[in-house]
Amino acid sequence: MKEIVTDNIALNITDGSSMSAFVAQPADNNEHPGILVFQEAFGVNAYIRDIAMRFAKEGFIAVAPELFHRTAHGFEGSYADFQGTVKHIQSLTEEGLVHDINAVYTWLNENPKLKKEEIASIGFCMGGRISFLANTAVKLKAAISFYGSNIPSLLHRVDKISAPQLMFWGGLDKHINKDQISAVTDSLTKNEKDFINVIVSFADHGFFCDARQSYNVNAAKNAWALVNSFLDTYVEK
């Protein structure tokens, strides 16, 4: 495990807005790969910051952008109040998210500590969809989506995917049904994209998040091992 440092940065978006992001990275001066960490509907909260720090300890420059910056700078919602996030989710557009992804991607590429072109992405729930979107918007080495909601709405972009895609789903998830998962995997197969699809039969939506009631320690442990193996395969440290 590496010693790490954290910071908050401000990014200017090409649509004229401003976006904050949480950064965690190794404390040394060596070059490291980067990873985009995309939030759930509840903001860049303690859980998402912890994920970024976990990746920093593994040797990544991890950046978690605040995707609700157009409606609520610094937003951190409650897991007991999903309804309080809805207006912010509804404000997101594909075009705006692509602007946000490009801003963080550009910041990483301009970071002198970045190992050039070695950038991956990961996201959870809402962020799982955005990690999938990132794989169509910028050049990545690997992309990971945990129970990405409404990914079928992005399938018109599948031909633009640049990197192998790893996807996790909970077999007990009532929010994302088998038809949605099949739509994604069928499209990836049709377009001859490299992907790994993992359905954890005994896990529910949000199983990786230790702040949720649906947290499943065994599912999370297995998923974390596969995440690291996937990244080690495709991203040079």
Side-chain angles (χ1 to χ4, degrees), residues 106-123:
T106 298
W107 181 89
L108 268 174
N109 275 300
E110 292 175 350
N111 188 324
K113 290 175 61 175
L114 179 78
K115 184 167 285 190
K116 294 304 179 187
E117 298 185 355
E118 298 296 327
I119 299 176
S121 71
I122 190 169

Side-chain angles (χ1 to χ4, degrees), residues 13-31:
I13 312 302
T14 52
D15 66 1
S17 60
S18 177
M19 178 174 69
S20 297
F22 176 79
V23 178
Q25 58 188 319
D28 58 43
N29 291 314
N30 299 325
E31 290 187 344

Side-chain angles (χ1 to χ4, degrees), residues 151-202:
I151 290 178
S153 67
L154 298 174
L155 295 182
H156 62 285
R157 301 178 61 100
V158 165
D159 62 315
K160 297 181 173 67
I161 281 179
S162 62
Q165 179 81 41
L166 171 60
M167 298 175 293
F168 292 97
W169 317 92
L172 304 179
D173 190 343
K174 293 180 176 60
H175 303 282
I176 302 172
N177 61 36
K178 292 180 181 178
D179 290 343
Q180 293 179 59
I181 297 171
S182 294
V184 177
T185 57
D186 288 351
S187 182
L188 289 167
T189 300
K190 180 180 178 181
N191 285 272
E192 299 182 334
K193 301 299 180 179
D194 293 340
F195 70 96
I196 297 174
N197 192 59
V198 181
I199 298 177
V200 185
S201 67
F202 55 88

Side-chain angles (χ1 to χ4, degrees), residues 7-11 21-25 34-36 61-64 100-112 114 116 119:
D7 196 9
N8 288 286
I9 61 172
L11 301 171
F22 176 79
V23 178
Q25 58 188 319
I35 188 164
L36 311 174
I61 302 170
V63 190
D100 297 346
I101 291 163
N102 274 286
V104 186
Y105 186 80
T106 298
W107 181 89
L108 268 174
N109 275 300
E110 292 175 350
N111 188 324
L114 179 78
K116 294 304 179 187
I119 299 176

